[in-house]
């Protein structure tokens, strides 16, 4: 059993209670894309950047790809979620899916949630590309971000 | 608001096709291969009010089979104001967001 603690340090006593992030002028940013595309180069279909003096939480994201029509020559269809951290200067890809099939309605999916905190200047991208010849692939990208004011 | 913006990039992982804007969703491309411009959905909060209310800057364009109001032109003075506001709102990326409305 612990002893009761009384905070008498003025520096601690002067601390201001901080609201939860979702109570600090929250702005929901919701992105959704669902379209079938012919072969194409890598495209940033969705981009989100955290504004200055703001923070953000990615609360969920998902990536799905489905072959809709057969290709003359199937290539690699890929869809990914990437994150650029302003403090590290590095872009990485927490979510990635690749298919190399000509089977109609073949599907691959990656789902993530609570990716975590983004600081001012951070970015996320939902991207897709297809190196096939002919045919179409549906790319379905979804992202929810809650943006909030700084402390 | 839907905005027609000049595409940049070469379609590779290192240099994807995109528009130089902080937050957007591509609704459609212009039909060219590779695309010259994208129709992008931009939050109204990121568009200066002077552009939102100015007359004569939009066109009615069929996108994915639906006639849509699209911002297709912005006078140079308002464009400079837009760039300056983005530099203030996104200081960590100042000078990077230089989209061209066309």
């Amino acid at each position: 059993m612990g002893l009761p603690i009384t905070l008498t340090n003025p520096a601690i006593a002067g601390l201001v209670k901080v609201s939860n992030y979702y109570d600090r002028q929250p702005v929901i940013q919701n992105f959704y894309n669902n379209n079938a595309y012919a072969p194409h180069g890598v495209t940033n279909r969705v981009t989100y950047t955290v504004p200055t003096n703001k923070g953000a939480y990615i609360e969920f994201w998902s990536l799905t790809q489905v072959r809709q029509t057969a290709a003359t020559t199937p290539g690699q269809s890929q869809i990914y979620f990437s994150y650029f951290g302003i403090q590290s200067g590095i872009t990485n890809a927490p979510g990635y899916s690749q298919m190399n099939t000509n089977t109609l309605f073949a599907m691959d999916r990656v789902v993530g949630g609570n990716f975590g905190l983004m600081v001012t200047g951070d970015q996320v991208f939902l991207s897709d590309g297809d190196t096939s010849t002919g045919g179409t692939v549906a790319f379905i990208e979804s992202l929810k971000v809650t943006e909030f004011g700084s402390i | 608001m839907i905005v027609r913006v000049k595409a940049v990039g070469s379609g590779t992982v290192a240099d994807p096709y995109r528009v130089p804007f902080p937050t957007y969703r591509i609704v459609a491309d212009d039909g060219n291969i590779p695309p010259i411009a994208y129709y992008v959905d931009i939050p109204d909060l990121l568009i200066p009010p002077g552009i939102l209310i100015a007359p004569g800057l939009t066109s009615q364009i069929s996108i994915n089979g639906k006639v849509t109001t699209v911002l297709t032109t912005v006078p140079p003075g308002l464009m400079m104001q837009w760039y300056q506001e983005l530099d203030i709102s996104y200081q960590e990326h100042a000078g990077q967001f230089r989209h061209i409305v066309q």
Side-chain angles (χ1 to χ4, degrees):
Chain A
M1 180 175 173
L3 297 172
I5 298 173
T6 302
L7 298 178
T8 55
N9 184 323
I12 297 174
L15 285 178
V16 177
K17 182 179 183 297
V18 176
S19 301
N20 290 316
Y21 76 94
Y22 46 78
D23 287 330
R24 299 203 297 266
Q25 305 107 38
V27 175
I28 306 296
Q29 301 271 9
N30 210 10
F31 303 91
Y32 179 66
N33 178 59
N34 181 356
N35 280 300
Y37 300 95
H40 58 280
V42 176
T43 305
N44 282 358
R45 204 66 63 182
V46 169
T47 293
Y48 170 76
T49 306
V50 184
T52 297
N53 295 325
K54 299 279 188 177
Y57 269 105
I58 295 175
E59 295 179 331
F60 72 75
W61 56 272
S62 69
L63 311 168
T64 305
Q65 57 172 324
V66 184
R67 176 157 289 284
Q68 294 288 300
T69 57
T72 307
T73 307
Q76 294 180 348
S77 60
Q78 54 186 341
I79 182 170
Y80 54 94
F81 165 92
S82 53
Y83 162 75
F84 171 73
I86 192 79
Q87 294 179 353
S88 65
I90 292 173
T91 300
N92 53 26
Y96 179 78
S97 157
Q98 177 183 309
M99 291 199 308
N100 184 12
T101 178
N102 216 11
T103 304
L104 289 185
F105 309 120
M107 182 184 84
D108 196 28
R109 190 171 198 207
V110 186
V111 178
N114 288 328
F115 174 76
L117 175 68
M118 298 172 68
V119 299
T120 178
D122 281 2
Q123 294 181 290
V124 291
F125 311 96
L126 304 181
S127 312
D128 54 66
D130 181 7
T131 62
S132 302
T133 301
T136 57
V137 174
F139 293 102
I140 304 157
E141 293 131 340
S142 189
L143 171 69
K144 182 194 176 192
V145 178
T146 296
E147 190 177 286
F148 54 91
S150 57
I151 297 171
Chain B
M1 180 174 212
I2 306 299
V3 186
R4 189 169 64 196
V5 183
K6 182 179 180 182
V8 301
S10 58
T12 64
V13 172
D15 185 29
Y17 295 129
R18 64 195 185 280
V19 297
F21 200 83
T23 294
Y24 66 87
R25 176 179 66 91
I26 292 177
V27 175
D29 61 37
D30 62 354
N32 291 294
I33 302 174
I36 296 171
Y38 286 112
Y39 296 98
V40 297
D41 188 2
I42 289 176
D44 285 356
L45 284 172
L46 299 183
I47 302 175
I51 292 175
L52 288 174
I53 63 172
L57 304 183
T58 59
S59 303
Q60 299 296 310
I61 297 174
S62 179
I63 301 174
N64 298 331
K66 181 182 177 184
V67 176
T68 306
T69 300
V70 180
L71 180 68
T72 53
T73 183
V74 176
L78 282 175
M79 206 68 224
M80 286 306 299
Q81 179 194 340
W82 199 350
Y83 292 158
Q84 289 168 0
E85 290 188 10
L86 289 173
D87 285 350
I88 293 170
S89 298
Y90 297 91
Q91 294 169 20
E92 296 76 15
H93 298 274
Q96 292 181 16
F97 301 129
R98 293 295 182 264
H99 59 297
I100 296 173
V101 177
Q102 59 181 34

